[in-house]
Each structure stands twice: as structure tokens, then as C-alpha cells.
Amino acid sequence: MQTSRGVVLAKAVAVVAVLFAALSVRDLAAMAGVKIPGLPMSSYGGSSMDNLLAVLLVLIALLLLRPRHAGLSVARLFGLGATGWKEPLWVLLATLPFWAGCAVTGKLQSSIDWRGMLFTALLFPLAEELVFRGFGFIFTRRALRWPLLPAVLVQALVFGWVHWAGMEDSELAMQVFAITFLGGIVFAVVDAMDGYTLWCGLILHVSLNAAWDVFDVAPSAATGWLGNGLRVLSAALAIGGVWLLRRRSRRASMQGLNGKVAPVRPLS
């Protein structure tokens, strides 16, 4: 029993260390005297390499840390299993208030950088979701059997920290930390409600980031009461809508075929 507890603790420490290190692999390598260049691209080469290395690091960690008889494929341990389209679609619609708020408080970008949006609104959020919600939340819940609260909070805290670290404006840094920490919680919650898959959290993340790229919004407006209030509203709509859709699905499954009642799996 003592050895088992030691293994559990060692794996937990390893998970936290990997989460902290994931997006800083090149910086850590530079500290060790090894220079890892960015990808050969005209822009976003460094950030792209950072995100690519982060995903590779958590993939290696997942393969090393997963139990021998996890019972799930690597894809499902990352949250890449298939569920349905209704919940992700609802989450996308739930972000409309935030888009409307950005349109009201800002203005359309004079020239939308579609190539830049591919990275900042899709690829980088995808990498972050794989790292923090896929490895940091879904893997720790389904393979390592972490309790729900630690699994939600640990990845959210590190997610907030990596966005806060290095910011010079302390007041803005604390706001960014709070926003991303709460975002990490919301992304994990909707993922859990949708059968421990990444899609709802990813769509919420992508849509919120895309609004920033489409509209030119002042930082004071984006982090002010209206911007934060609309984020909370979108999050509440997403969580509430997914909960209602899953509840309706469970009710339908309880009826079963030929009057047989199917077992209901609680969301935990």
C-alpha cells in the first residue's frame, strides 16, 4: 500500500511538472545551453514550435504515466473520442453574447489577418486544450483516477500561471490570471459534462479567441466589467445548455428499447 501511494504521488508530481514545463520547453532548453529554433515560417515560427513541443511532451508523459491496463486508447485519454454534435454546437451559440459585446465595445479590424487567426484562434487553442484539458484534466481523471476537484483546479491554476508569467503590468497580469484560471475551470467542466471529450471546451476557447482577432477591442474594455460579464454569461449559457442537452439524452436512454430501462452514468 505504501509503494502504491508513492507511485500515485510521483505520478501526480510528474503531471504538475509537465504542465508547468510544456509551453516552456525551448526556454528550459536554452537555460541548459541547447538552442531549439522556431519553425521556418515568416511569422509565428517560435510560438508554433513552443506549442508543438508542448503537445509532444504531454504525449510522451501520457504514454509513460498511463496505467498498463487503462482500458482506453491514447486518443480517448486525450479527450478525442466522439460524442455528438448538439453540445458543441450549443457551446458555439453560447459565445454569441461575447461576440456582440466585442462588436459594441470595439470595431472590426481594418484588415483581418486570416493566416494569423489560423494560429491564434485555432491551432494554439487546440494545443492548449490538448495540454491542459486533455492531459491535465481528462487523462488525470480517466487514467490516473484523480478526484474531480483537484483535476479541475490543478490544470486551471497552471493554465492561468502560464498566461500571467512574464507580464510587466501587475494589475493587468492579475486580471489575465483570473480570466484564464476561470476559463480553465469552465473548459474542463463542459468537457466533463460532454463525456470527457475536448470538443465543447475547444470550441468555447476557439470562439472566444476568434472574437479578439475579428474585433479591435481596447484592453480596458476587454478586461472591464462588460467584457468579463459577457464571458461569464457565455460560460453560464454553455454550461447550462450542455447540462440540459445531456439531461434530455439521459432521459431518452432511460426509456430504452421495448420499455427496458438503460443504466444512467452520472456525470462526475
Side-chain angles (χ1 to χ4, degrees):
M1 181 63 70
Q2 192 68 29
T3 302
S4 178
R5 289 178 180 176
V7 171
V8 170
L9 178 59
K11 287 187 175 183
V13 171
V15 167
V16 175
V18 168
L19 289 176
F20 271 110
L23 288 171
S24 303
V25 172
R26 291 202 307 150
D27 293 335
L28 294 172
M31 292 172 62
V34 178
K35 182 178 180 180
I36 302 176
L39 294 176
M41 303 162 58
S42 60
S43 58
Y44 299 104
S47 298
S48 296
M49 179 60 80
D50 289 336
N51 282 270
L52 177 60
L53 290 173
V55 173
L56 289 176
L57 177 61
V58 299
L59 174 59
I60 293 170
L62 183 148
L63 292 173
L64 293 174
L65 296 175
R66 68 172 177 168
R68 293 182 179 179
H69 306 290
L72 293 171
S73 66
V74 171
R76 287 189 175 274
L77 289 176
F78 262 127
L80 299 177
T83 53
W85 57 270
K86 292 181 180 179
E87 289 82 0
L89 177 59
W90 172 259
V91 169
L92 179 62
L93 295 175
T95 63
L96 289 178
F98 184 74
W99 279 76
C102 289
V104 170
T105 59
K107 59 181 180 180
L108 278 174
Q109 297 279 6
S110 57
S111 178
I112 297 177
D113 182 5
W114 296 105
R115 181 175 180 274
M117 280 187 66
L118 175 66
F119 291 94
T120 60
L122 179 59
L123 297 180
F124 295 166
L126 174 59
E128 290 181 348
E129 291 305 308
L130 286 169
V131 170
F132 294 100
R133 261 62 66 186
F135 175 74
F137 176 64
I138 296 173
F139 172 70
T140 58
R141 283 287 289 150
R142 304 197 79 175
L144 302 185
R145 303 298 181 184
W146 283 21
L148 179 62
L149 190 59
V152 170
L153 293 180
V154 167
Q155 58 82 29
L157 283 168
V158 182
F159 185 60
W161 182 85
V162 299
H163 286 81
W164 161 80
M167 295 188 68
E168 297 181 357
D169 187 333
S170 59
E171 182 177 353
L172 180 60
M174 289 306 300
Q175 292 180 3
V176 169
F177 172 80
I179 291 170
T180 50
F181 168 67
L182 294 174
I185 292 176
V186 172
F187 299 152
V189 168
V190 293
D191 286 345
M193 295 173 69
D194 194 30
Y196 285 92
T197 58
L198 279 183
W199 310 119
C200 283
L202 174 62
I203 287 177
L204 184 58
H205 194 166
V206 166
S207 184
L208 294 177
N209 276 28
W212 280 85
D213 289 331
V214 172
F215 295 100
D216 183 7
V217 182
S220 58
T223 58
W225 68 267
L226 179 59
N228 289 328
L230 290 172
R231 285 189 185 89
V232 171
L233 175 59
S234 293
L237 289 173
I239 292 172
V242 172
W243 179 81
L244 287 173
L245 288 170
R246 297 296 290 186
R247 183 185 180 191
R248 182 178 300 174
S249 176
R250 292 196 301 273
R251 282 183 174 178
S253 67
M254 288 180 65
Q255 296 178 1
L257 295 174
N258 299 323
K260 295 182 179 180
V261 177
V264 181
R265 296 180 61 186
L267 293 177
S268 59

